[in-house]
């Protein structure tokens, strides 16, 4: 039976820690506002101002903005509890996730296409060191997502509700949201390596969406499991992406050696496959940016 944290206890906690909570909230708002302002609103304002105003902005950027809006709106709508329950009762659990995957892939592909065909507005010219850091971040994102997909994880998305031992969290010691932090790392890496406005908006929005998704999932899981049960399961996990947990004993518990080798091999294969075919799939070669390709 699930337990709930009493409202009075929550209010007392807020009163006892009101100064700390105030500054935590202010820091959160400052970081969120700075990111959205610099990544989205200021660039869009400059485009609007320097390229003919609204009459020119809509024809040039309308399809790009529509594709991105529908991508995020589709995720929000499909993952709403009511819509998800309604679809699951009609097409089953696997049917729902198959439908979700197909819709996500189509909308993602459309968004990428529109980003490639949006007006080129150069914000900065990526340097070799930026591309190197970007590749490291992207591989880390692919690796952590491969490790965390479809494992026993009652605390996040893309996990199974199998028996989970909080004393042996394994990959969850790094983060209890491995797939979403993987998307965040992938998005941030691409922002660093792409200095053109459409890509900065697209990948920046992907990273922001993943981060806020993590916050929302934590809130929903606490509500679903109850405060005490959630804290019991999450006590040895991390909200943030914490690579230092690689050196903690608990990280080595929870999954077998074959699991680590298999998932790491999958991550390396996916990363190299996309890296080599990137010029064909996207039209941009990270290897040429590094000066390694003829």
């Amino acid at each position: 039976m699930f337990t709930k944290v009493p409202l009075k206890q929550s209010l007392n906690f807020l009163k006892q820690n009101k100064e700390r909570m105030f500054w935590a909230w202010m820091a959160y708002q400052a970081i969120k506002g700075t990111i959205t302002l610099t990544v989205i609103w200021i660039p869009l304002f400059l485009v609007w101002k320097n390229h003919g105003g609204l009459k020119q902005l809509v024809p040039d950027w309308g399809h790009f903005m529509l594709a991105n809006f529908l991508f995020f709106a589709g995720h929000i709508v499909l993952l709403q509890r009511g819509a998800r329950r309604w679809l699951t009762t009609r097409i089953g659990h696997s049917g729902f996730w198959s439908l979700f995957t197909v819709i996500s892939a189509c909308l993602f592909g459309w968004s990428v296409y529109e980003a490639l065909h949006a007006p080129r507005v150069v914000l900065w010219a990526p340097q070799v060191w930026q591309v190197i850091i970007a590749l490291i971040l992207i591989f880390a994102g692919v690796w952590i997502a491969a490790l965390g997909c479809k494992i026993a994880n009652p605390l996040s998305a893309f996990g199974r509700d199998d028996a989970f031992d909080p004393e042996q969290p394994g990959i969850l010691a790094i983060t209890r949201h491995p797939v979403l932090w993987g998307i965040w790392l992938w998005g941030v890496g691409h922002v660093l390596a792409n200095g053109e406005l459409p890509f900065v908006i697209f990948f920046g929005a992907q990273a922001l969406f993943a981060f806020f998704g993590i916050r929302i999932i934590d809130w929903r899981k606490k509500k679903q499991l109850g405060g005490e049960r959630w804290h019991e399961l999450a006590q040895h996990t991390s909200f943030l992406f914490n690579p230092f947990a690689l050196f903690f004993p608990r990280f080595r518990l929870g999954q077998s050696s074959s699991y680590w080798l298999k998932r790491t091999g999958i991550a390396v294969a996916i990363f190299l496959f996309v890296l080599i075919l990137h010029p064909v799939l996207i039209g941009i070669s990270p290897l040429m940016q590094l000066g390694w390709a003829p």
Side-chain angles (χ1 to χ4, degrees):
M1 185 173 181
F2 297 143
T3 60
K4 295 183 178 180
V5 177
L7 178 60
K8 186 176 180 180
Q9 182 179 342
S10 300
L11 292 175
N12 287 336
F13 175 81
L14 291 175
K15 289 179 180 178
Q16 294 168 4
N17 299 273
K18 57 183 179 181
E19 184 175 352
R20 186 194 309 173
M21 297 300 294
F22 170 78
W23 287 112
W25 176 252
M26 290 296 291
Y28 163 72
Q29 291 295 335
I31 294 170
K32 181 186 73 171
T34 301
I35 293 173
T36 54
L37 189 66
T38 55
V39 171
I40 298 176
W41 300 120
I42 289 178
L44 281 178
F45 172 76
L46 293 175
V47 170
W48 173 80
K49 181 181 178 183
N50 299 325
H51 293 79
L54 189 62
K55 290 183 178 179
Q56 192 64 32
L57 180 64
V58 173
D60 288 348
W61 293 85
H63 290 168
F64 171 76
M65 291 187 288
L66 178 62
N68 280 273
F69 171 78
L70 290 179
F71 176 81
F72 295 115
H75 279 72
I76 293 170
V77 170
L78 287 174
L79 293 177
Q80 284 293 324
R81 187 176 301 175
R84 180 176 173 179
R85 185 185 301 116
W86 186 85
L87 287 168
T88 302
T89 56
R90 284 157 177 78
I91 61 177
H93 181 77
S94 60
F96 168 80
W97 283 110
S98 298
L99 176 66
F100 178 81
T101 302
V102 170
I103 293 176
S104 297
C106 290
L107 291 174
F108 179 81
W110 183 26
S111 298
V112 172
Y113 174 84
E114 295 299 341
L116 290 170
H117 291 81
R120 305 268 69 85
V121 179
V122 178
L123 301 177
W124 67 82
Q127 304 298 312
V128 171
W129 67 267
Q130 290 174 289
V131 179
I132 293 173
I133 294 175
L135 290 174
I136 293 171
L137 291 175
I138 292 167
F139 175 73
V142 174
W143 180 67
I144 198 73
L147 289 176
C149 188
K150 295 298 181 181
I151 62 171
N153 182 4
L155 299 170
S156 187
F158 304 100
R160 301 196 311 264
D161 292 331
D162 296 350
F164 169 70
D165 184 356
E167 296 298 323
Q168 300 183 12
I171 185 64
L172 303 194
I174 297 178
T175 174
R176 57 180 171 267
H177 302 286
V179 175
L180 290 173
W181 275 115
I183 295 172
W184 185 87
L185 289 166
W186 171 83
V188 170
H190 278 84
V191 167
L192 190 62
N194 292 276
E196 295 186 0
L197 180 60
F199 301 118
V200 171
I201 292 176
F202 174 71
F203 292 113
Q206 296 284 336
L208 284 173
F209 191 69
F211 179 77
F212 289 116
I214 292 168
R215 301 289 302 215
I216 291 170
I217 288 172
D218 259 4
W219 175 77
R220 285 183 176 176
K221 289 295 183 178
K222 284 181 183 179
K223 186 177 179 182
Q224 176 186 341
L225 296 170
E228 288 187 23
R229 179 57 176 163
W230 184 89
H231 284 290
E232 178 186 342
L233 293 172
Q235 59 182 325
H236 298 304
T237 68
S238 175
F239 167 77
L240 296 173
F241 176 71
N242 178 24
F244 297 105
L246 288 166
F247 306 103
F248 296 167
R250 293 185 189 279
F251 170 75
R252 295 188 290 272
L253 301 173
Q255 284 92 25
S256 64
S257 299
S258 61
Y259 158 86
W260 294 108
L261 291 173
K262 180 180 178 181
R263 296 296 182 99
T264 300
I266 291 172
V268 171
I270 292 173
F271 178 78
L272 292 178
F273 176 79
V274 176
L275 180 66
I276 294 170
L277 292 183
H278 211 274
V280 178
L281 299 173
I282 307 299
I284 300 171
S285 174
L287 295 178
M288 289 189 66
Q289 290 179 300
L290 293 172
W292 292 352

